[in-house]
Amino acid sequence: MNFNSKIKGIIFDLDGTLADIAESINFVLQKHHFPTHPHEAYKPFTGEGLKMLVTKSLPETARTPEMIEQCTAEMIAYYTPRSAN
C-alpha cells in the first residue's frame, strides 16, 4: 500500500503544549527574578528547539552559556512531570 498518495495533511494540537511550555519557562524566569512573558508571546520563540526557546525568553543581559544551560535544565525538570498528564 502506498501511503504517500493517500495522506493529504497532518494536524498537530499544540495549544495545551504551548501553555505548558510557557508556564514552565515562566516558572524558571521567576525563580531567577527575570521578567516573565504572557503565554502568547512564546509562539515566535518556538520552532528552533528548547535551548533557543530558553535563550529567547531570557533577558539579553542574562544570555550567558551558563545561564542558558541552567535554565534549560530547570525548565526540563519542571516541565517533564507535567507533560505526562
Side-chain angles (χ1 to χ4, degrees):
M1 181 179 281
N2 184 352
F3 289 103
N4 292 334
S5 64
K6 295 185 182 221
I7 297 174
K8 302 290 186 206
I10 298 173
I11 298 173
F12 294 96
D13 178 12
L14 300 176
D15 290 340
T17 303
L18 184 58
D20 294 339
I21 289 169
E23 177 187 332
S24 299
I25 193 63
N26 277 339
F27 173 82
V28 172
L29 293 171
Q30 209 168 24
K31 178 180 174 183
H32 291 278
H33 306 286
F34 296 140
T36 59
H37 307 284
H39 287 191
E40 61 274 3
Y42 285 100
K43 268 188 178 177
F45 294 177
T46 62
E48 298 178 73
L50 180 59
K51 190 178 274 192
M52 186 56 70
L53 179 135
V54 170
T55 301
K56 291 178 178 182
S57 301
L58 289 168
E60 286 187 35
T61 57
R63 293 178 185 173
T64 65
E66 296 81 14
M67 183 56 68
I68 293 166
E69 289 297 325
Q70 181 178 351
C71 289
T72 300
E74 291 172 359
M75 194 270 190
I76 291 169
Y78 184 87
Y79 176 80
T80 300
R82 287 155 184 79
S83 68
N85 295 330

